[in-house]
Amino acid sequence: MQALAERGMALDGAKVAVLGVAYLEDSDDTRNTPATAVIDALQHKGASVVAHDPYVRELDGYELTRDLDVALQGADAAVIVTRHRAYYEMDLARLKRIMRTPVLVDGRNVFDAESGVGAGFTYKAIGKG
């Protein structure tokens, strides 16, 4: 919410791409995944959520795609929940062009702040100052 507010947006009505729904990195195991709680909280606050995971085929009750471009197209924020190797390889300049609003919330320390901000994102990381 804070990152979107810095861009003059509310979470209510925003499109959020949740990146990673597996519990373990580079796996399809969704048991005990924190992603469903994140998605539920975002939806409760009025966000439209599309989840992406390169390994998980389906997540009961949630919209899920394995196509990163589909998840990020027109998104107002991307939230990294699972530390999949594929996310380390994302081209931030390209993501910025695909997204409507360049907001990146990194919950798994995939990027450093310098990279995120340098690419033009409002960058927030969980567990970092």
Side-chain angles (χ1 to χ4, degrees):
M1 288 176 18
Q2 181 185 4
L4 283 169
E6 289 179 21
R7 290 281 177 165
M9 296 189 65
L11 185 55
D12 187 16
K15 177 183 176 184
V16 179
V18 171
L19 305 182
V21 298
Y23 177 72
L24 298 171
E25 60 193 58
D26 300 328
S27 81
D28 65 353
D29 187 355
T30 58
R31 292 174 294 172
N32 301 314
T33 181
T36 54
V38 170
I39 294 168
D40 291 344
L42 289 167
Q43 289 176 333
H44 180 73
K45 297 281 189 179
S48 169
V49 179
V50 176
H52 170 270
D53 197 290
Y55 301 98
V56 178
R57 293 190 183 277
E58 64 181 3
L59 188 64
D60 289 341
Y62 298 92
E63 184 178 351
L64 178 68
T65 181
R66 293 177 83 184
D67 186 329
L68 186 58
D69 287 354
V70 168
L72 293 169
Q73 185 66 47
D76 297 301
V79 180
I80 301 173
V81 176
T82 306
R83 195 176 204 170
H84 290 312
R85 187 173 301 123
Y87 298 144
Y88 285 90
E89 299 166 3
M90 292 188 301
D91 177 351
L92 291 179
R94 184 172 174 283
L95 263 63
K96 186 179 177 200
R97 288 191 304 273
I98 294 171
M99 295 175 68
R100 179 172 45 195
T101 311
V103 169
L104 179 60
V105 179
D106 187 351
R108 294 294 181 236
N109 296 309
V110 171
F111 296 101
D112 58 41
E114 187 175 308
S115 297
V117 172
F121 281 85
T122 298
Y123 177 86
K124 300 292 179 188
I126 308 300
K128 292 183 181 180

